[in-house]
Amino acid sequence: MTFKKLFKGFGLAGITILLFLSCVKKTGRDITNKNDGGVVGLAHFYNAYFPVGVAVEPHSLEGGPAALIKREYNTISPENVMKMGNIHPEKDRFYWQDTDQLVRFARENDMKLRGHALVWHQQHGDWIFTGDDQNEVDKEELFARMKTHIDSVMHRYKDDIYAWDVVNEAVSDKPGEVYRPSEWLEIGGKEFLVKAFQYAREADPEAKLFYNDYDAIFPHKRDKIIELIKYLQENDAPIDGIGIQAHWTVFGPSEEILRETLDKYAALGLEIQITELDVSIHKKEHQARERNEEDSDEFTEQLQKQQKEMYAMIFKVFREYKDVITNVTFWGVSDKDSWLNYFPVEGRKDYPLLFDANLKPKEAYRIVSDF
Ligand code: GLA
């Protein structure tokens, strides 16, 4: 039979269905580009659950990484460009270009943006704590500068950023110490937390306001985060949600702790976003250190299996908690660029994401997308 006759008998619709089925068969789920075919990746599969996002740098918005981002995600977070040191490097100077680029990309591709992060003890310009006389600023001046920062950044991106990490990592890792020692705390007292949320609400009443932290699911840190949130709530700080960073590993968390944590945070009346998800193959360490003989770059079959199981478990739980989880964001586009290749051990490879260094979906991707 000639193609013409076949086409006449079968019709365009039939051929389209065949093409679609062959694509689905090859990959488990169809991941053709939404811009070309109307069918998407992770964000599409999780349509009925929550938006799925990724942290990006301006260089990820071109070529292969950009195509991957467009295909898979419907929200983006700035990995670095909105941190105070980048966007507001001096008291009277802002640097908008990089964030503007992210905003354009999000607009063009119909994506939402999370803002990250307004107040943090790292990656801020030193100007924030140093007065014009070179002495440390007092509380009143610190709050005035914080307000200018929050107002300026939030106003500029009012139409584009729907959720903000207002305060990042203000809880201490030390036993018995609730609030992290920092210049924010030293000069402003814990009132700086309340002010940050109040200024943010005034700057953009529509935006969702989050407190964001790491190790947020482990009891030693979780109880302190709950204490901080209650302090905010009792002091009229308008907080909408908690950001669980989720820099996890193939060794943990357990399903039990994850569920218990989601229940506890939801009980505070907050929505939950998973803001910085990755699953390292190495044991968790918080301090940078030199590489030693025991450090391996190998992504063994055993580790691949553990990573798959960890991703399967956490997404199963996330799906069950879809009423309280309002975003899940991966921290990086692919294993090639992950921050975990540089921290805590510079140059030791890690493989924490769903896409390998060649941007190909890993087995863990199949597990997460094919449920
Ligand atoms: C923390 C911050 C992020 C980022 C990571 C490391 O989780 O919130 O902005 O700096 O560390 O990449």
Side-chain angles (χ1 to χ4, degrees):
M1 194 173 5
T2 62
F3 179 75
K4 213 168 162 189
K5 276 193 192 144
L6 174 75
F7 185 82
K8 233 174 151 185
F10 198 55
L12 184 59
I15 288 185
T16 311
I17 288 168
L18 270 185
L19 281 173
F20 176 78
L21 288 177
S22 70
C23 190
V24 169
K25 210 168 141 212
K26 255 190 261 151
T27 58
R29 298 290 289 253
D30 178 48
I31 53 169
T32 42
N33 193 326
K34 70 176 163 184
N35 298 322
D36 302 339
V39 184
V40 287
L42 290 171
H44 175 72
F45 306 143
Y46 279 85
N47 203 13
Y49 297 86
F50 33 71
V52 188
V54 64
V56 302
E57 295 283 14
H59 68 77
S60 353
L61 305 180
E62 293 165 5
L68 186 155
I69 295 167
K70 292 184 210 175
R71 186 185 72 212
E72 299 292 339
Y73 301 108
N74 52 3
T75 76
I76 55 175
S77 297
E79 191 166 341
N80 283 295
V81 300
M82 297 200 79
K83 290 172 181 167
M84 190 187 277
N86 299 55
I87 202 165
H88 194 172
E90 292 169 47
K91 183 166 168 246
D92 298 315
R93 185 166 70 86
F94 289 86
Y95 176 76
W96 303 117
Q97 281 91 319
D98 287 346
T99 304
D100 287 356
Q101 196 184 334
L102 263 57
V103 164
R104 274 197 303 277
F105 183 87
R107 281 188 189 167
E108 281 163 17
N109 296 291
D110 208 9
M111 290 172 173
K112 290 183 169 187
L113 258 159
R114 289 195 88 254
H116 172 82
L118 293 167
V119 173
W120 190 26
H121 66 285
Q122 288 184 352
Q123 290 182 255
H124 50 69
D126 285 338
W127 65 266
I128 184 84
F129 304 118
T130 314
D132 298 336
D133 58 3
Q134 296 310 305
N135 289 324
E136 194 174 81
V137 293
D138 61 14
K139 183 171 176 171
E140 197 185 335
E141 177 65 13
L142 179 66
F143 288 174
R145 290 177 180 208
M146 174 164 84
K147 181 165 170 45
T148 305
H149 175 71
I150 292 177
D151 273 348
S152 312
V153 179
M154 288 188 78
H155 279 157
R156 185 174 178 93
Y157 299 115
K158 223 175 163 63
D159 296 336
D160 298 285
I161 297 191
Y162 84 107
W164 276 98
D165 293 332
V166 177
V167 177
N168 199 28
E169 303 178 351
V171 158
S172 172
D173 293 319
K174 283 210 195 107
E177 183 175 70
V178 177
Y179 297 98
R180 173 189 295 280
S182 72
E183 282 151 300
W184 290 107
L185 187 69
E186 186 192 306
I187 305 170
K190 55 182 178 164
E191 196 188 341
F192 89 87
L193 300 159
V194 174
K195 291 287 181 211
F197 279 87
Q198 289 175 341
Y199 296 155
R201 178 64 92 230
E202 282 163 25
D204 181 358
E206 305 291 317
K208 295 270 187 187
L209 307 181
F210 283 78
Y211 173 75
N212 191 50
D213 214 331
Y214 62 85
D215 281 358
I217 80 161
F218 298 108
H220 70 279
K221 198 84 179 265
R222 188 176 69 195
D223 294 345
K224 298 180 195 176
I225 294 175
I226 291 174
E227 187 172 330
L228 179 150
I229 287 175
K230 288 193 172 150
Y231 165 71
L232 289 175
Q233 290 175 329
E234 282 157 14
N235 286 279
D236 299 322
I239 176 169
D240 299 301
I242 167 134
I244 298 178
Q245 290 188 2
H247 293 299
W248 293 335
T249 77
V250 297
F251 310 105
S254 69
E255 179 166 348
E256 193 190 348
I257 280 195
L258 179 55
R259 287 178 186 279
E260 196 181 274
T261 301
L262 296 170
D263 288 337
K264 280 186 186 264
Y265 288 147
L268 297 168
L270 298 177
E271 55 181 90
I272 298 168
Q273 301 203 338
I274 308 296
T275 52
E276 305 184 18
L277 177 61
D278 42 30
V279 175
S280 170
I281 66 160
H282 303 292
K283 294 227 162 66
K284 192 91 227 152
E285 290 175 84
H286 288 301
Q287 295 300 325
R289 64 163 174 84
E290 294 287 307
R291 193 179 172 125
N292 65 37
E293 285 153 22
E294 278 151 45
D295 287 315
S296 164
D297 282 332
E298 214 188 327
F299 192 23
T300 60
E301 276 191 22
Q302 175 61 24
L303 288 168
Q304 292 183 39
K305 182 167 166 279
Q306 283 173 257
Q307 189 182 58
K308 238 168 37 190
E309 287 168 1
M310 182 57 71
Y311 266 119
M313 181 278 282
I314 61 188
F315 271 87
K316 180 187 75 181
V317 174
F318 291 167
R319 289 192 296 271
E320 282 177 36
Y321 282 78
K322 71 178 169 58
D323 291 343
V324 282
I325 294 182
T326 55
N327 184 297
V328 175
T329 288
F330 289 88
W331 202 246
V333 179
S334 77
D335 287 348
K336 181 164 171 235
D337 289 329
S338 165
W339 69 295
L340 294 167
N341 293 312
Y342 310 96
F343 185 87
V345 179
E346 176 89 46
R348 180 188 64 180
K349 286 211 169 81
D350 206 339
Y351 307 84
L353 297 163
L354 297 186
F355 297 91
D356 69 16
N358 297 314
L359 306 180
K360 295 274 172 293
K362 291 156 59 176
E363 272 292 291
Y365 176 92
R366 195 181 53 74
I367 294 280
V368 167
S369 61
D370 200 0
F371 53 89

